[in-house]
Amino acid sequence: MHFRNISDNPESVCQRALRFAGCRSVFLVMAFSCAWLSHGAARAQEAGATTGGDQAGIIKVVRGDVQVQRGSATAALPAKVGDRVFAGDRLITAADAAAGITLRDDTLMSLGPKSSLVLERYDFDATAGDGNVAVRVLKGTMRYVTGLIGKHAPDHQQVLTPTATIGIRGTDFIVDVVSSE
C-alpha cells in the first residue's frame, strides 16, 4: 500500500497522480475530478437502483467495465453514469476501466483499473454539514478529495485497506493497494 498526501495546486496534483498511477484511464478520471473540484460538484440525481437506505452519492464517470454490487447481493450490475451509490455498495473496475463518484457532501472518489472499493459507512446532515464516511479499498488505486465532512470534521473520515486504516487529515490523496493476485 502506498499513501500520499497531496496538497499542491490542482495542476501539479493531476501531474503527480499521472506519474504515480502510470495509467491513462486513471489520469482521465483524475482530470475529471480536478474539473469537478474547480467547478463544484453537482448534487446527486435520482437514478439507478432503489434501496431502503439514504443515497450516499452518484456515479459521475464510467470508463470501461465498472460493476456495482449492492449490499449483500451476490450479483454485480453494470454501472452507468447517473447511478446512485449507497452505503454498503461495492464498486469494481476491470483492467482498462475507471470510475468517478461524487458523494452528497461533495467528496470525490476516483477508482483506477483493477480496483475494488466498498463504501462501508456514509451519513451526512446537509443542514449541519457534518457526518461520517468510511471507505474500504480492497485492491487497486483510489484518489480521494475530501468534501464538507472532511472540512468540518476530518476525524469523521476513514479509509481502510487490507493492511492499514488511514485517518484523513489532508484534502487530496491517493491510496494504492497492491493485490496479492
Side-chain angles (χ1 to χ4, degrees), residues 51-172:
T51 71
D54 288 337
Q55 176 179 333
I58 190 167
I59 297 175
K60 292 290 197 169
V61 175
V62 173
R63 180 180 174 121
D65 181 17
V66 179
Q67 303 285 316
V68 177
Q69 191 173 8
R70 183 107 28 225
S72 61
T74 56
L77 302 170
K80 59 186 180 303
V81 172
D83 282 353
R84 294 183 290 170
V85 177
F86 298 89
D89 284 359
R90 179 177 181 173
L91 285 92
I92 305 154
T93 60
D96 292 326
I101 299 108
T102 301
L103 300 179
R104 286 184 18 241
D105 73 317
D106 292 336
T107 292
L108 305 175
M109 296 185 298
S110 300
L111 286 176
K114 292 184 175 180
S115 296
S116 181
L117 168 144
V118 177
L119 183 58
E120 294 276 333
R121 181 179 68 237
Y122 187 83
D123 59 78
F124 177 63
D125 179 350
T127 306
D130 60 37
N132 292 288
V133 61
V135 177
R136 182 176 304 275
V137 182
L138 302 169
K139 69 176 184 173
T141 305
M142 177 194 70
R143 179 174 181 215
Y144 188 97
V145 181
T146 58
L148 292 175
I149 294 172
K151 288 173 180 50
H152 291 132
D155 57 322
H156 290 189
Q157 299 178 100
Q158 270 189 331
V159 174
L160 304 114
T161 71
T163 57
T165 299
I166 303 165
I168 301 166
R169 296 293 181 265
T171 58
D172 188 342

Side-chain angles (χ1 to χ4, degrees), residues 19-75:
R19 281 195 310 271
F20 177 79
C23 178
R24 184 175 150 198
S25 59
V26 172
F27 175 72
L28 291 173
V29 171
M30 290 179 190
F32 281 119
S33 295
C34 290
W36 291 334
L37 186 60
S38 65
H39 291 98
R43 294 286 172 214
Q45 303 167 358
E46 290 298 316
T50 57
T51 71
D54 288 337
Q55 176 179 333
I58 190 167
I59 297 175
K60 292 290 197 169
V61 175
V62 173
R63 180 180 174 121
D65 181 17
V66 179
Q67 303 285 316
V68 177
Q69 191 173 8
R70 183 107 28 225
S72 61
T74 56

